[in-house]
Amino acid sequence: MKRKQPGRCGVWLFGAHGGLATTIIVGATLAARDLVSRSGLLTETPPFDGLALAGLGSLVFGGHDVRETSVFDSAYEVYRANGTFDLEKLQAIHDDLNAVDDDIRTGTAFNCGATIRRMSNRKANRRPRRLRELIESIQQDILEFQERHDLERVVVVNVASTEPPLPPEPRFETLKGIESLLDENDARAVRASVLYGYAAADLGFPILNFTPNSGCLVPGVQVLARKRGAPFMGNDGKTGETLVKSALAPMFKYRNLKVLTWQGYNILGDRDGQVLADPENKRAKIETKDGVLSSILGYPLHTHVGIDYVPSLNDLKTAWDFIHFQGFCDYRMSLQFIWQGCDAILAAPIVLDMVRLAEFAQRNEERGLMTWLSCFFKSPVGVDEHDLHFQFQHLLDYVQSHLAGKTWPGSGRVAKTGKTFLPE
Amino acid sequence: MKRKQPGRCGVWLFGAHGGLATTIIVGATLAARDLVSRSGLLTETPPFDGLALAGLGSLVFGGHDVRETSVFDSAYEVYRANGTFDLEKLQAIHDDLNAVDDDIRTGTAFNCGATIRRMSNRKANRRPRRLRELIESIQQDILEFQERHDLERVVVVNVASTEPPLPPEPRFETLKGIESLLDENDARAVRASVLYGYAAADLGFPILNFTPNSGCLVPGVQVLARKRGAPFMGNDGKTGETLVKSALAPMFKYRNLKVLTWQGYNILGDRDGQVLADPENKRAKIETKDGVLSSILGYPLHTHVGIDYVPSLNDLKTAWDFIHFQGFCDYRMSLQFIWQGCDAILAAPIVLDMVRLAEFAQRNEERGLMTWLSCFFKSPVGVDEHDLHFQFQHLLDYVQSHLAGKTWPGSGRVAKTGKTFLPE
Amino acid sequence: MKRKQPGRCGVWLFGAHGGLATTIIVGATLAARDLVSRSGLLTETPPFDGLALAGLGSLVFGGHDVRETSVFDSAYEVYRANGTFDLEKLQAIHDDLNAVDDDIRTGTAFNCGATIRRMSNRKANRRPRRLRELIESIQQDILEFQERHDLERVVVVNVASTEPPLPPEPRFETLKGIESLLDENDARAVRASVLYGYAAADLGFPILNFTPNSGCLVPGVQVLARKRGAPFMGNDGKTGETLVKSALAPMFKYRNLKVLTWQGYNILGDRDGQVLADPENKRAKIETKDGVLSSILGYPLHTHVGIDYVPSLNDLKTAWDFIHFQGFCDYRMSLQFIWQGCDAILAAPIVLDMVRLAEFAQRNEERGLMTWLSCFFKSPVGVDEHDLHFQFQHLLDYVQSHLAGKTWPGSGRVAKTGKTFLPE
Amino acid sequence: MKRKQPGRCGVWLFGAHGGLATTIIVGATLAARDLVSRSGLLTETPPFDGLALAGLGSLVFGGHDVRETSVFDSAYEVYRANGTFDLEKLQAIHDDLNAVDDDIRTGTAFNCGATIRRMSNRKANRRPRRLRELIESIQQDILEFQERHDLERVVVVNVASTEPPLPPEPRFETLKGIESLLDENDARAVRASVLYGYAAADLGFPILNFTPNSGCLVPGVQVLARKRGAPFMGNDGKTGETLVKSALAPMFKYRNLKVLTWQGYNILGDRDGQVLADPENKRAKIETKDGVLSSILGYPLHTHVGIDYVPSLNDLKTAWDFIHFQGFCDYRMSLQFIWQGCDAILAAPIVLDMVRLAEFAQRNEERGLMTWLSCFFKSPVGVDEHDLHFQFQHLLDYVQSHLAGKTWPGSGRVAKTGKTFLPE
């Protein structure tokens, strides 16, 4: 079977001036120019050899943001706060970063809570006259980007700040519901994420929702995306404590060690921590963090994730987890872990991995849920399996199926079968 | 297919008065009488339902030891040192424990290093006139035990103290070599573990080597065991830090996070710690602990496991692991974990799990390496895969194959295939 | 100078059936009978030799509680939950513990929040007809206890559960204010702690407030206590994380290492944790935990203490503290600590230490604030110095002054002088 | 009393190209130019106001080293390895650093073990024809430095790598012994540190031995230094784990909590770690690390400090300490801490603090042991007190005595009195 080769691929980032988007742009540039190793990029490991993914150097970046700055200034700010980048290397790609500035447009912070509003510039906070107009303006920006750079495909990635959880709204469940909501211009019911998601889905562009803002991929948006031929996946990137959890929890199952308590405590600074310090926004985060454990272990347990804002840490997130478990003769023991990671550094490469795989999927005419990306998400849409090992195996199955020249059976709801994924 | 039902099953323990053997006997008794939950026993979880394993209450215990005491006194000593058992429950099974005393015979501490020698009574330290005689006397003890209790099968388990590593000895590689070594009565070449292993293999009894004493299952002994129809597996139970390692290391691979350093530090007290404080004996332990990581990760890394003796901890082993890794943009981060477990409590149930599975294997006329038990061992004989998740999957495959009424393809060397086990 | 010798000393415990009171009674009994060592009791160390403190065996226990049970049953419950006591030793003092039961009366849970109310029996929750009557009934119980046992002195100790913080109430500031409040029977303004404190002060009995319930020693009560000749001290025993903090924080000052963040996270179960899980009650606790650090370090810093309820831990409190600090060249480093202690085991001996020192103070006709006990409190009343080392030195100064036969200059407000305490 | 004002002060560093010396030079330059804060410098805190210490800007640096490089290159290397310095600030002082290069001369690695030898250049390894000549050449270098810069005083600081411990040698005990040893040219008996110490003492220059190489201040050298009017102090800077230990251990004493075990495990990379990975050199380090705890606690305990080389950490030393202690009712609890510090960043400012205080001492005609600097050393010569708080108090006493215009009683052996230092 003859496969299409990748062309130049656009990456449109909602939240393009945030620490994560900045790290994505800087890191991709550094790696493409071999100034840093390929560490962190899964798609650069042997199982992906021969898959003909888009080259790092063929990625073109643009996006929306609610704050005004330049990519280099953002990068320099990230460097000063976290020491993430090597300054000399950052200086070496100054021109490359400047080139991106023209492709970043003012986005919307519409209905995202007071903390985000305070960070945003006036235009971003403006209440849209009509929701439909706002959506069209978002689409206009993306299409101009595509045209300007003559891009075969554009993958749309949501890496904006955490919004407060969506209020329950039955109209989100269907495409018809959303259309009527937009027609009625019911501004209170939506947040920025819904508008972003609708805009991208309507264009038929692949969507990756790396945020916990579930508005981006509400069921009605999913229907639209499928209809327009877009592959998509979310929600909430699995980068730190939850990643460790989903790798470690199966061990307790393998030994019938009963987990009594899994208590986590996260501290982080940065704009991300500041947004999460707002209890309204924090709620969305904690909701996606629960559930993982009892799903893997198969029983309810005492579990809680505390999050606190510690400015001095910036993006160097530190998490302490205390796991209390009961073994033979009902004896109690414990495992603790301390995770010290830079969130953007952990997140950026898997966004790039997913961009490449989403571009690959669309090139291969796959549409709908990319369940094989579940290993990258805290709340993988349509996937009930949280065990990292099975999730990863599912991705390998997908890759090997393509490498073997087989047609992947397609996308669908994936059951928690304990062993295999069964795409419909 | 009609399967044989389990009869009463003997469990013969080398090191029957040690903390682990004591915990096995006490725990099995408590669990059989429902005085404690089945926590820690994997064979009591749903995947094993319907496999018709030997009931906990049908197990009969006996063994060899080099120290003289009673089972209850050992159990009381364990309770005082570690609080492992509930005193009131221990008192409730006093009579059951006393009943085991008659089945514990004086073993041999032959050539096991000065520290073990000091702990042993005179008879155990006696240098045998002829090795063949010593072996026969070991076999005599086991056979009398089987007859006395009218046991259909006896599983032999090595839970003795860690010996110094075996000196390189080409004659161990073949059965013929061992036979000539015994004929020549070359006492310097062997340690207790070799004699125990030979004795059990020659009887055709299933053998589980839970110790790092590789003498128990040298290639020549394996040949003998196969010949006599015995299934067997070892070496060195995977209970604590190494268990966590083999569960956690794959996570780094799934994200292409390059592990630069994995430094472990173990502290423990107890007779076990005391024996390991002897540098001669410690060496064997550290040898089985290395290798796991680079095998899983696929590249060499800086790794070391320090072990120190801390008397106040008794059997409550504490391990601190520091993992230094490199991610995107070559940024360095760390994960630390602190494991606080009671070794005997972690080890005892998996010995019982394996006893049941070994009895099951022999009942089903399987012989040779039980590779499906690899998830329980630090150095699984004949299995190159150290990833806990694959190891566990291999066990599930074995179980499901039996549950489906299929014949298991048999035992053989298992390659590191990244995905499945391929028994020859 | 001839000093009075101690007679038999009563110890009246508010919260007599709580885990802490139980540990005080059991521990004092075990230690008096030499069934355990004197570990944990500071007054048993050399600096206190020759001070003629009351013997452990001369202490007689009684108290109020809002729950009905027996001392032995409480002790057995503590043993089952935490393994704190040795069961065999507990059984050996069964009779001694039974003898205390007659001296425990129903107390009041008046106005202590819903969680405490749910734990209390009907009588304890009854809203008193008149506050004055309730106070008299409390006093009656204590005086009968003193008479029944012919006790020279009775030290009153508050070890009840944490109440919600007191509402601001100017009348607490003066004795006159409290009297008018009682005369007006203004039930909404007071909590149990105020009534207990008033009752004890009015009797002229030494008072130790080990709880964060500041009602026990509001200024008006202090005036009354001084007037009646009672020495007193509080608030909130310093037993775990805060103890470590006040020992460790000076180190940063000694090196001009600037502490940017000191983030603490406490998890605990037990009735104590359950009460603190009620946000209303938790507030009082957190309030006494803050302030310590900036007082020692001399500058404001980002600090927070999170507390969460983890039932499986019972009284084995675990705290993780993350300290982020800046050194030379503004470089940032960190220190973390993990404290795993049993709160009652840490608290009980210092209550006994203070009981002995309070009895000693009253015997030596000292009244008012016992500032020399500040090292035992999170919020030492009238003492601005939080540095554990200076606090301890202050206690030694007091002891050495008495040993040298000098008159202690008396009690008074103690300034934070950086070096010495200056009692007025 | 009229006091002399400080002039320009030389700082002569043995080990001038090491990470510590580099950090001293860079940090002093940055701080003098207000490019970084004064964090880490104790002498910049209020208690030292008014003491008229030498200004940071008045310090002039020079020294010996066995490796050839430039100060800027060393600094850049430190920056690349540890991120210790801000690159932009480092570039801003490039010229200042270059100016130091002319004052760094080739030193001697004489008899310092194979690992150090491998790092050294040929000249440094050359076996001296006569020891006396080598000493004179060292002195010549220092005197030329003093003259070239017209320095009133030169403080000599040993920050060279850890040597293997000195062999027992009775001749080191007296000045006469050392003289005869030098006369006999007995090269095997000495190491570089002895020659450095002798050279500086003979010049009458203040000596600070920041290394564990006790050769620098053997009794015979001390006699010589006193005779020539030099103040001096050592050995082995207290910067990390031991600092925490000496701050924390008193807490256990204050509560009569019996420490059963204090187990430490240090991992570090860098040239320092590499040298310590050589068992011969490691021994000296561990020797100075023990003793601290039992001295503070007053009883023997199980304690051990493990050190391992972890290249990926460079100078970011990580230490895990596990403290097992027994409280009331003989109940066992634990405290763990994890220290993550950059050794050079912790050490450099206290070297500068001591340089200023040593210059001050000599200016005030003090000679002999500067016991008031004991808080900065793991093995303070002539001081038996290891409690950090008393040590610090001793320094404050010294400072306050001077501020009050009193004559300090002079230097002498300091007993462990539990409270105050009593200089003879």
Side-chain angles (χ1 to χ4, degrees), chain A residues 214-329:
Chain A
S214 58
C216 188
L217 287 178
V218 289
V221 168
Q222 293 184 34
V223 172
L224 181 61
R226 266 202 193 84
K227 210 166 133 186
R228 299 280 189 264
F232 53 84
M233 193 59 185
N235 294 334
D236 204 6
K238 181 154 82 170
T239 53
E241 191 203 24
T242 311
L243 175 70
V244 181
K245 265 183 185 171
S246 67
L248 205 49
M251 181 188 78
F252 294 95
K253 197 172 59 182
Y254 299 166
R255 291 292 162 94
N256 195 16
L257 296 168
K258 189 177 177 200
V259 178
L260 305 168
T261 296
W262 194 308
Q263 196 81 5
Y265 185 59
N266 287 253
I267 49 179
L268 73 166
D270 225 342
R271 211 163 291 120
D272 201 21
Q274 217 172 325
V275 170
L276 288 177
D278 182 328
E280 210 189 356
N281 305 49
K282 185 179 187 166
R283 203 148 43 88
K285 193 75 186 178
I286 287 186
E287 279 172 11
T288 72
K289 275 186 164 247
D290 279 348
V292 169
L293 289 171
S294 65
S295 158
I296 294 175
L297 293 169
Y299 50 86
L301 68 156
H302 179 93
T303 183
H304 178 72
V305 178
I307 306 183
D308 272 319
Y309 176 50
V310 169
S312 70
L313 283 174
N314 295 313
D315 195 34
L316 306 177
K317 194 196 264 183
T318 299
W320 175 69
D321 275 48
F322 178 83
I323 307 152
H324 205 192
F325 60 95
Q326 177 179 293
F328 199 42
C329 298

Side-chain angles (χ1 to χ4, degrees), chain B residues 47 85 112 114 126 212 252 264 272 276 297 322 328 345 364 388 390 400-401 417:
Chain B
F85 311 123
C112 297
R126 201 184 300 153
F252 295 94
D272 203 21
L276 288 176
L297 294 168
F322 178 83
F328 199 44
I345 284 293
N364 285 280
L388 183 67
F390 288 131
Q400 281 156 13
S401 163
T417 63

